[in-house]
Amino acid sequence: MKARLALFFLIIAFTAGCVGTRLGPEDIVSSPQKVGSLPQQVEIREYQGERLSSVGDFRENSIKGPQKVPLEGYSLTIDGLVENPLTLTYEQTLDTYDSIQKIVTLHCVEGWSNTLLYEGIPLSDIFADAKVKPEANTVIFHAFDGYTSSLPLDFIYENNIILAHKMNNITLPSERGFPFQVVAEDKYGYKWVKWVVKIELSDNPDYKGYWESRGYSNNADVRA
Ligand SMILES: Nc1nc2c(c(=O)[nH]1)N[C@H]1C(S)=C(S)[C@@H](COP(=O)(O)O)O[C@H]1N2
Ligand SMILES: [Mo]
């Protein structure tokens, strides 16, 4: 009898442990959909014959842990070296700009990587509206958790870098950067800023973001 009771508690503890440490797909798929009245979304794991990683496959190691950005009061700001600074709500951003899809792999410096279908707005479309000044050459992304990172403006144009709002066909889960994440393809994960609140056009190519100022390369090219 005592042994049975012990086994019972062992199972409970084990189950609780699993739930506590691992994010189940249910948590992820259901959380951001409360925003507005979006229809139920289902994560895809395959696209045009290619297997995709899951939104739950990422290691969560953000500098201040996962952020829950409230849409109430949220705005995306584009400022710095622009003639026409922009302040857009989440809805305005999605209504104003068309999105494109890309399958892209994120490589973290820790050695893991994930390949997903990202959907987002080409930054060049937003920059066209903001009227980037000719002296701008660097784009600094500011996040809700105080994190920053930057990319060369030319790199963004040449690779048609997007600001993602969906991954694997579902709205970005809060852990993964809702409402917006930079999809800095071919650059290490620390350039993929999550929870973007401000995009600043700058003329300082030596700007150093959070990890860059702690010794990581500002170039961040993933070695092929
Ligand atoms: N705002 C913000 N964005 C961030 C980070 C962060 O700490 N804060 N971490 C970066 C790093 S190091 C990686 S590898 C990618 C993916 O991190 P994740 O696995 O925690 O989602 O997000 C990047 N974007
Ligand atoms: Mo990372």
Side-chain angles (χ1 to χ4, degrees):
M1 189 61 207
K2 249 195 188 155
R4 268 216 212 158
L5 207 66
L7 187 68
F8 175 75
F9 281 113
L10 204 71
I11 289 168
I12 294 287
F14 181 73
T15 312
C18 288
V19 170
T21 50
R22 238 196 158 287
L23 215 52
E26 318 76 37
D27 306 312
I28 289 168
V29 176
S30 61
S31 57
Q33 277 66 55
K34 286 173 199 135
V35 175
S37 50
L38 294 165
Q40 183 58 43
Q41 301 177 339
V42 178
E43 182 187 15
I44 57 158
R45 296 297 307 282
E46 202 180 303
Y47 186 71
Q48 296 177 348
E50 190 168 340
R51 278 298 287 169
L52 302 169
S53 313
S54 165
V55 298
D57 288 343
F58 290 78
R59 276 191 221 166
E60 175 48 66
N61 50 16
S62 306
I63 55 160
K64 289 184 183 159
Q67 304 292 303
K68 279 212 155 74
V69 177
L71 270 196
E72 231 165 282
Y74 174 83
S75 60
L76 176 67
T77 299
I78 323 296
D79 69 5
L81 296 174
V82 293
E83 273 161 37
N84 181 33
L86 303 172
T87 308
L88 301 158
T89 65
Y90 179 66
E91 311 253 282
Q92 282 170 336
T93 312
L94 297 192
D95 288 349
T96 310
Y97 300 100
D98 289 333
S99 292
I100 60 167
Q101 292 185 319
K102 300 184 181 196
I103 293 181
V104 190
T105 303
L106 177 147
H107 302 266
C108 176
V109 290
E110 289 178 319
W112 51 268
S113 60
N114 286 321
T115 302
L116 283 87
L117 175 70
Y118 287 89
E119 181 173 330
I121 298 161
L123 282 167
S124 59
D125 290 348
I126 302 177
F127 293 167
D129 279 351
K131 298 195 167 57
V132 172
K133 292 185 181 173
E135 60 268 35
N137 53 29
T138 302
V139 181
I140 305 169
F141 299 93
H142 299 257
F144 191 74
D145 57 352
Y147 188 88
T148 65
S149 188
S150 62
L151 290 170
L153 181 58
D154 282 348
F155 170 83
I156 290 176
Y157 287 137
E158 284 160 18
N159 297 279
N160 199 16
I161 296 301
I162 62 172
L163 191 61
H165 53 86
K166 279 189 169 190
M167 54 208 294
N168 286 0
N169 266 6
I170 65 168
T171 302
L172 286 194
S174 50
E175 298 81 358
R176 296 282 78 77
F178 178 84
F180 297 112
Q181 178 179 32
V182 181
V183 178
E185 54 195 271
D186 304 326
K187 301 283 188 189
Y188 276 115
Y190 60 90
K191 293 284 181 184
W192 294 50
V193 179
K194 303 193 282 187
W195 310 298
V196 175
V197 294
K198 188 168 89 159
I199 302 173
E200 178 190 349
L201 278 294
S202 153
D203 60 1
N204 177 13
D206 298 321
Y207 174 85
K208 286 192 172 62
Y210 185 87
W211 286 118
E212 294 89 335
S213 64
R214 287 161 176 80
Y216 284 92
S217 130
N218 200 15
N219 170 276
D221 278 335
V222 177
R223 297 164 309 244

PDB file of all heavy atoms in Angstrom, residues 151-167:
ATOM      1  N   LEU A 151      21.846  45.644 -37.951  1.00  0.00           N
ATOM      2  CA  LEU A 151      22.205  45.047 -39.240  1.00  0.00           C
ATOM      3  C   LEU A 151      22.556  46.183 -40.204  1.00  0.00           C
ATOM      4  O   LEU A 151      21.967  47.264 -40.113  1.00  0.00           O
ATOM      5  CB  LEU A 151      21.023  44.261 -39.825  1.00  0.00           C
ATOM      6  CG  LEU A 151      20.605  42.955 -39.137  1.00  0.00           C
ATOM      7  CD1 LEU A 151      19.274  42.455 -39.706  1.00  0.00           C
ATOM      8  CD2 LEU A 151      21.686  41.888 -39.275  1.00  0.00           C
ATOM      9  N   PRO A 152      23.454  45.907 -41.158  1.00  0.00           N
ATOM     10  CA  PRO A 152      23.716  46.933 -42.175  1.00  0.00           C
ATOM     11  C   PRO A 152      22.466  47.133 -43.047  1.00  0.00           C
ATOM     12  O   PRO A 152      21.788  46.169 -43.392  1.00  0.00           O
ATOM     13  CB  PRO A 152      24.854  46.332 -43.005  1.00  0.00           C
ATOM     14  CG  PRO A 152      25.451  45.257 -42.155  1.00  0.00           C
ATOM     15  CD  PRO A 152      24.335  44.737 -41.311  1.00  0.00           C
ATOM     16  N   LEU A 153      22.199  48.378 -43.399  1.00  0.00           N
ATOM     17  CA  LEU A 153      21.028  48.697 -44.225  1.00  0.00           C
ATOM     18  C   LEU A 153      21.093  47.960 -45.572  1.00  0.00           C
ATOM     19  O   LEU A 153      20.096  47.403 -46.029  1.00  0.00           O
ATOM     20  CB  LEU A 153      20.950  50.212 -44.437  1.00  0.00           C
ATOM     21  CG  LEU A 153      19.776  50.748 -45.252  1.00  0.00           C
ATOM     22  CD1 LEU A 153      18.434  50.361 -44.639  1.00  0.00           C
ATOM     23  CD2 LEU A 153      19.876  52.271 -45.390  1.00  0.00           C
ATOM     24  N   ASP A 154      22.277  47.923 -46.191  1.00  0.00           N
ATOM     25  CA  ASP A 154      22.436  47.229 -47.478  1.00  0.00           C
ATOM     26  C   ASP A 154      22.119  45.752 -47.366  1.00  0.00           C
ATOM     27  O   ASP A 154      21.534  45.165 -48.271  1.00  0.00           O
ATOM     28  CB  ASP A 154      23.888  47.360 -47.984  1.00  0.00           C
ATOM     29  CG  ASP A 154      24.128  48.724 -48.588  1.00  0.00           C
ATOM     30  OD1 ASP A 154      23.139  49.451 -48.812  1.00  0.00           O
ATOM     31  OD2 ASP A 154      25.304  49.063 -48.837  1.00  0.00           O
ATOM     32  N   PHE A 155      22.538  45.133 -46.255  1.00  0.00           N
ATOM     33  CA  PHE A 155      22.255  43.705 -46.049  1.00  0.00           C
ATOM     34  C   PHE A 155      20.745  43.465 -46.064  1.00  0.00           C
ATOM     35  O   PHE A 155      20.252  42.496 -46.636  1.00  0.00           O
ATOM     36  CB  PHE A 155      22.862  43.245 -44.719  1.00  0.00           C
ATOM     37  CG  PHE A 155      22.414  41.867 -44.311  1.00  0.00           C
ATOM     38  CD1 PHE A 155      23.031  40.740 -44.827  1.00  0.00           C
ATOM     39  CD2 PHE A 155      21.339  41.704 -43.434  1.00  0.00           C
ATOM     40  CE1 PHE A 155      22.591  39.459 -44.477  1.00  0.00           C
ATOM     41  CE2 PHE A 155      20.899  40.431 -43.079  1.00  0.00           C
ATOM     42  CZ  PHE A 155      21.528  39.315 -43.602  1.00  0.00           C
ATOM     43  N   ILE A 156      20.009  44.380 -45.450  1.00  0.00           N
ATOM     44  CA  ILE A 156      18.548  44.252 -45.384  1.00  0.00           C
ATOM     45  C   ILE A 156      17.933  44.362 -46.773  1.00  0.00           C
ATOM     46  O   ILE A 156      17.080  43.550 -47.152  1.00  0.00           O
ATOM     47  CB  ILE A 156      17.977  45.304 -44.408  1.00  0.00           C
ATOM     48  CG1 ILE A 156      18.376  44.925 -42.982  1.00  0.00           C
ATOM     49  CG2 ILE A 156      16.457  45.442 -44.563  1.00  0.00           C
ATOM     50  CD1 ILE A 156      17.970  45.903 -41.918  1.00  0.00           C
ATOM     51  N   TYR A 157      18.393  45.331 -47.541  1.00  0.00           N
ATOM     52  CA  TYR A 157      17.870  45.489 -48.911  1.00  0.00           C
ATOM     53  C   TYR A 157      18.251  44.292 -49.789  1.00  0.00           C
ATOM     54  O   TYR A 157      17.422  43.752 -50.511  1.00  0.00           O
ATOM     55  CB  TYR A 157      18.400  46.784 -49.534  1.00  0.00           C
ATOM     56  CG  TYR A 157      17.773  48.049 -48.980  1.00  0.00           C
ATOM     57  CD1 TYR A 157      18.557  49.164 -48.689  1.00  0.00           C
ATOM     58  CD2 TYR A 157      16.394  48.144 -48.767  1.00  0.00           C
ATOM     59  CE1 TYR A 157      17.994  50.342 -48.199  1.00  0.00           C
ATOM     60  CE2 TYR A 157      15.821  49.310 -48.264  1.00  0.00           C
ATOM     61  CZ  TYR A 157      16.626  50.401 -47.985  1.00  0.00           C
ATOM     62  OH  TYR A 157      16.070  51.556 -47.494  1.00  0.00           O
ATOM     63  N   GLU A 158      19.521  43.901 -49.734  1.00  0.00           N
ATOM     64  CA  GLU A 158      20.002  42.848 -50.634  1.00  0.00           C
ATOM     65  C   GLU A 158      19.372  41.499 -50.360  1.00  0.00           C
ATOM     66  O   GLU A 158      19.220  40.672 -51.258  1.00  0.00           O
ATOM     67  CB  GLU A 158      21.542  42.738 -50.541  1.00  0.00           C
ATOM     68  CG  GLU A 158      22.249  43.864 -51.280  1.00  0.00           C
ATOM     69  CD  GLU A 158      23.690  44.076 -50.818  1.00  0.00           C
ATOM     70  OE1 GLU A 158      24.254  43.158 -50.180  1.00  0.00           O
ATOM     71  OE2 GLU A 158      24.220  45.176 -51.085  1.00  0.00           O
ATOM     72  N   ASN A 159      18.989  41.241 -49.115  1.00  0.00           N
ATOM     73  CA  ASN A 159      18.421  39.930 -48.758  1.00  0.00           C
ATOM     74  C   ASN A 159      16.917  39.988 -48.490  1.00  0.00           C
ATOM     75  O   ASN A 159      16.341  39.007 -48.042  1.00  0.00           O
ATOM     76  CB  ASN A 159      19.156  39.365 -47.544  1.00  0.00           C
ATOM     77  CG  ASN A 159      20.613  39.113 -47.857  1.00  0.00           C
ATOM     78  OD1 ASN A 159      20.953  38.102 -48.456  1.00  0.00           O
ATOM     79  ND2 ASN A 159      21.471  40.063 -47.508  1.00  0.00           N
ATOM     80  N   ASN A 160      16.323  41.110 -48.766  1.00  0.00           N
ATOM     81  CA  ASN A 160      14.898  41.318 -48.526  1.00  0.00           C
ATOM     82  C   ASN A 160      14.488  40.786 -47.142  1.00  0.00           C
ATOM     83  O   ASN A 160      13.619  39.911 -47.013  1.00  0.00           O
ATOM     84  CB  ASN A 160      14.051  40.671 -49.633  1.00  0.00           C
ATOM     85  CG  ASN A 160      12.648  41.247 -49.665  1.00  0.00           C
ATOM     86  OD1 ASN A 160      12.390  42.314 -49.089  1.00  0.00           O
ATOM     87  ND2 ASN A 160      11.731  40.554 -50.317  1.00  0.00           N
ATOM     88  N   ILE A 161      15.155  41.307 -46.131  1.00  0.00           N
ATOM     89  CA  ILE A 161      14.940  40.859 -44.749  1.00  0.00           C
ATOM     90  C   ILE A 161      13.539  41.256 -44.282  1.00  0.00           C
ATOM     91  O   ILE A 161      13.083  42.369 -44.535  1.00  0.00           O
ATOM     92  CB  ILE A 161      16.026  41.471 -43.818  1.00  0.00           C
ATOM     93  CG1 ILE A 161      17.416  40.933 -44.213  1.00  0.00           C
ATOM     94  CG2 ILE A 161      15.728  41.187 -42.345  1.00  0.00           C
ATOM     95  CD1 ILE A 161      17.595  39.430 -44.148  1.00  0.00           C
ATOM     96  N   ILE A 162      12.887  40.302 -43.633  1.00  0.00           N
ATOM     97  CA  ILE A 162      11.504  40.548 -43.188  1.00  0.00           C
ATOM     98  C   ILE A 162      11.390  40.687 -41.674  1.00  0.00           C
ATOM     99  O   ILE A 162      12.223  40.189 -40.910  1.00  0.00           O
ATOM    100  CB  ILE A 162      10.533  39.436 -43.680  1.00  0.00           C
ATOM    101  CG1 ILE A 162      10.912  38.057 -43.109  1.00  0.00           C
ATOM    102  CG2 ILE A 162      10.461  39.402 -45.203  1.00  0.00           C
ATOM    103  CD1 ILE A 162       9.887  36.954 -43.392  1.00  0.00           C
ATOM    104  N   LEU A 163      10.314  41.365 -41.299  1.00  0.00           N
ATOM    105  CA  LEU A 163       9.909  41.488 -39.907  1.00  0.00           C
ATOM    106  C   LEU A 163       8.753  40.501 -39.756  1.00  0.00           C
ATOM    107  O   LEU A 163       7.657  40.745 -40.263  1.00  0.00           O
ATOM    108  CB  LEU A 163       9.452  42.930 -39.674  1.00  0.00           C
ATOM    109  CG  LEU A 163       9.228  43.382 -38.247  1.00  0.00           C
ATOM    110  CD1 LEU A 163      10.505  43.287 -37.424  1.00  0.00           C
ATOM    111  CD2 LEU A 163       8.704  44.814 -38.236  1.00  0.00           C
ATOM    112  N   ALA A 164       9.029  39.374 -39.085  1.00  0.00           N
ATOM    113  CA  ALA A 164       8.034  38.291 -39.064  1.00  0.00           C
ATOM    114  C   ALA A 164       6.952  38.527 -38.024  1.00  0.00           C
ATOM    115  O   ALA A 164       7.222  39.044 -36.933  1.00  0.00           O
ATOM    116  CB  ALA A 164       8.723  36.968 -38.790  1.00  0.00           C
ATOM    117  N   HIS A 165       5.719  38.141 -38.381  1.00  0.00           N
ATOM    118  CA  HIS A 165       4.625  38.119 -37.414  1.00  0.00           C
ATOM    119  C   HIS A 165       4.014  36.733 -37.312  1.00  0.00           C
ATOM    120  O   HIS A 165       3.148  36.486 -36.474  1.00  0.00           O
ATOM    121  CB  HIS A 165       3.559  39.174 -37.740  1.00  0.00           C
ATOM    122  CG  HIS A 165       3.050  39.099 -39.150  1.00  0.00           C
ATOM    123  ND1 HIS A 165       2.024  38.282 -39.518  1.00  0.00           N
ATOM    124  CD2 HIS A 165       3.476  39.727 -40.275  1.00  0.00           C
ATOM    125  CE1 HIS A 165       1.820  38.415 -40.835  1.00  0.00           C
ATOM    126  NE2 HIS A 165       2.693  39.280 -41.311  1.00  0.00           N
ATOM    127  N   LYS A 166       4.486  35.815 -38.178  1.00  0.00           N
ATOM    128  CA  LYS A 166       4.018  34.431 -38.120  1.00  0.00           C
ATOM    129  C   LYS A 166       5.175  33.477 -38.321  1.00  0.00           C
ATOM    130  O   LYS A 166       6.133  33.796 -39.049  1.00  0.00           O
ATOM    131  CB  LYS A 166       3.009  34.154 -39.235  1.00  0.00           C
ATOM    132  CG  LYS A 166       1.602  34.618 -38.956  1.00  0.00           C
ATOM    133  CD  LYS A 166       0.667  34.093 -40.036  1.00  0.00           C
ATOM    134  CE  LYS A 166      -0.776  34.309 -39.656  1.00  0.00           C
ATOM    135  NZ  LYS A 166      -1.687  33.611 -40.575  1.00  0.00           N
ATOM    136  N   MET A 167       5.116  32.321 -37.681  1.00  0.00           N
ATOM    137  CA  MET A 167       6.043  31.244 -37.977  1.00  0.00           C
ATOM    138  C   MET A 167       5.236  29.955 -38.079  1.00  0.00           C
ATOM    139  O   MET A 167       4.316  29.724 -37.289  1.00  0.00           O
ATOM    140  CB  MET A 167       7.173  31.172 -36.937  1.00  0.00           C
ATOM    141  CG  MET A 167       6.750  31.086 -35.500  1.00  0.00           C
ATOM    142  SD  MET A 167       7.968  31.778 -34.347  1.00  0.00           S
ATOM    143  CE  MET A 167       9.347  30.647 -34.529  1.00  0.00           C
TER     144      MET A 167
END
